[in-house]
Amino acid sequence: MYWVARRAGLVALRRIKPVRRERVESLLGRYDMLAIMATAILPPPFPFKPFVLSAGVFKLKLSRFIVAVFAGRLVRFTVEGLLAIVFPETAGDVIKQHGWKVLLAVAVAATLLIVFNILRSRRARSLAVGGLQPPIE
């Protein structure tokens, strides 16, 4: 899908609602790998295809895309595998019952990471601006 979207351009996104498309584009523009990784971790019914299509359309570097998908799927399937080992008979039920809790935990963690990065970049900018000002006499 990535390659098809990369070749097709914006035509590949025609079935995605404009509001969702703009939100995905914004997320990919600011947090390209994190956006792909987070959506690769999340279980269905969370939409992964709009992010894959958008990554191709907006020409996210292939290496960054592959690493993000690999890391996200590694986390997801590792957790699912561990659940299957710990709860061999009821792993599916556990995933169904607690899937939204995992989704919420990932969303909170991603939000905290984003807020931390924003605050860190603002602090760095304010320090840089503060250091460039002439001394007040």
Side-chain angles (χ1 to χ4, degrees):
M1 266 198 327
Y2 174 86
W3 283 111
V4 170
R6 193 169 178 123
R7 291 187 182 268
L10 291 175
V11 174
L13 296 176
R14 72 178 180 268
R15 287 190 160 183
I16 298 172
K17 295 176 184 176
V19 173
R20 180 175 279 176
R21 184 175 55 228
E22 289 170 13
R23 188 179 320 147
V24 169
E25 182 180 2
S26 172
L27 284 171
L28 283 175
R30 286 184 280 162
Y31 313 105
D32 56 352
M33 286 188 70
L34 184 62
I36 297 295
M37 204 176 332
T39 56
I41 292 171
L42 300 175
F46 193 85
F48 182 59
K49 287 180 186 177
F51 284 86
V52 173
L53 290 171
S54 297
V57 168
F58 302 122
K59 297 183 176 23
L60 177 65
K61 286 185 179 180
L62 181 61
S63 59
R64 292 177 65 84
F65 175 75
I66 290 172
V67 168
V69 171
F70 179 79
R73 294 298 189 187
L74 178 69
V75 169
R76 177 178 170 191
F77 294 129
T78 299
V79 169
E80 288 179 2
L82 290 172
L83 285 172
I85 291 169
V86 174
F87 304 104
E89 299 298 322
T90 59
D93 295 333
V94 170
I95 292 170
K96 288 177 187 175
Q97 185 178 3
H98 299 290
W100 289 107
K101 293 175 187 173
V102 172
L103 173 65
L104 182 62
V106 169
V108 167
T111 302
L112 289 174
L113 183 63
I114 291 167
V115 168
F116 173 75
N117 284 332
I118 290 170
L119 293 175
R120 187 179 63 178
S121 67
R122 284 184 182 175
R123 183 169 186 245
R125 270 189 262 134
S126 70
L127 289 176
V129 170
L132 297 175
Q133 293 177 346
I136 299 174
E137 297 178 15

